[in-house]
Amino acid sequence: GENVEQHPSTLSVQEGDSAVIKCTYSDSASNYFPWYKQELGKRPQLIIDIRSNVGEKKDQRIAVTLNKTAKHFSLHITETQPEDSAVYFCAASGNNRLAFGKGNQVVVIP
Amino acid sequence: KAGVTQTPRYLIKTRGQQVTLSCSPISGHRSVSWYQQTPGQGLQFLFEYFSETQRNKGNFPGRFSGRQFSNSRSEMNVSTLELGDSALYLCASSLGFEKDTQYFGPGTRLTVL
């Protein structure tokens, strides 16, 4: 089955700096790559997703890039704010099944 | 639209007991997926139901089972509970087609003593 890995496991950034989280996946048939944000004690919430026919997608301060040849995709957060502190999960989907990475703890230092 | 709901929100059980968790999807969604979330292991896929049929299954023992009703509501059952089953159990609903967004419920926190 699909195997998704996330790096780094923990990321600390100064407020206003950028944060980048990278994920790799194993199944070349995967065609949908969502990113979820989970704040402490809350449910995972979708923040952005990308489908395999697109290389990059942007939504305000958040962007995702996809490299299908190398089988990796990344989340970019610019101008980080304290409310960006959370655990971020990447996932890869094929055949209606989402495989998640183990999550990244992002800490934004004011 | 109302979001995904799960009941109960918290459960405390002892080893050997069994438990049933419930998930009500967003209206119109036909797919319900279940995940186990533990610290350090992230979200692990249990199974997915679509139109009352199990369509996908993860690598969990047979003690973990589920079903889906005609109104798309889903239940998950864990029999002969073990200490290691303590986790947050999340369900997510979607329309059920390729590349659909999954929307998560708040989860059921299960503690096994």
Side-chain angles (χ1 to χ4, degrees), chain A residues 25-95:
Chain A
Y25 63 99
S26 60
D27 188 351
S28 56
S30 290
N31 55 15
Y32 173 58
F33 306 90
W35 285 87
Y36 286 83
K37 175 184 179 183
Q38 187 176 29
E39 296 175 75
L40 192 63
K42 296 192 175 179
R43 72 187 77 189
Q45 299 263 25
L46 179 78
I47 55 171
I48 196 166
D49 56 14
I50 192 166
R51 286 158 173 91
S52 59
N53 58 337
V54 176
E56 182 175 358
K57 183 177 177 181
K58 227 176 177 182
D59 183 4
Q60 299 181 351
R61 296 186 298 108
I62 293 171
V64 57
T65 56
L66 171 64
N67 183 327
K68 285 218 79 185
T69 304
K71 290 192 278 188
H72 68 70
F73 55 113
S74 299
L75 177 71
H76 304 253
I77 307 173
T78 58
E79 299 171 26
T80 53
Q81 300 167 5
E83 53 264 37
D84 294 329
S85 294
V87 177
Y88 291 82
F89 291 96
C90 64
S93 175
N95 297 319

Side-chain angles (χ1 to χ4, degrees), chain B residues 3-100:
Chain B
V4 180
T5 59
Q6 291 186 245
T7 57
R9 294 292 313 278
Y10 302 92
L11 265 178
I12 299 176
K13 293 284 187 179
T14 56
R15 279 179 297 173
Q17 288 187 307
Q18 67 99 26
V19 67
T20 299
L21 315 180
S22 180
C23 174
S24 292
I26 291 170
S27 177
H29 284 190
R30 295 165 65 191
S31 169
V32 174
S33 297
W34 287 89
Y35 298 89
Q36 182 192 66
Q37 185 174 27
T38 54
Q41 290 301 313
L43 289 145
Q44 294 188 284
F45 174 76
L46 282 151
F47 30 64
E48 184 232 356
Y49 285 86
F50 178 77
S51 293
E52 301 180 67
T53 301
Q54 188 181 85
R55 188 163 64 171
N56 280 292
K57 190 177 188 309
N59 298 321
F60 278 80
R63 300 186 296 107
F64 292 81
S65 63
R67 58 177 175 167
Q68 186 180 35
F69 302 94
S70 58
N71 61 358
S72 293
R73 188 178 71 85
S74 178
E75 286 182 348
M76 186 190 115
N77 186 275
V78 188
S79 62
T80 320
L81 285 166
E82 300 176 0
L83 295 178
D85 296 333
S86 294
L88 180 67
Y89 290 88
L90 292 158
C91 74
S93 80
S94 74
L95 291 169
F97 305 112
E98 281 284 326
K99 307 179 189 181
D100 273 344

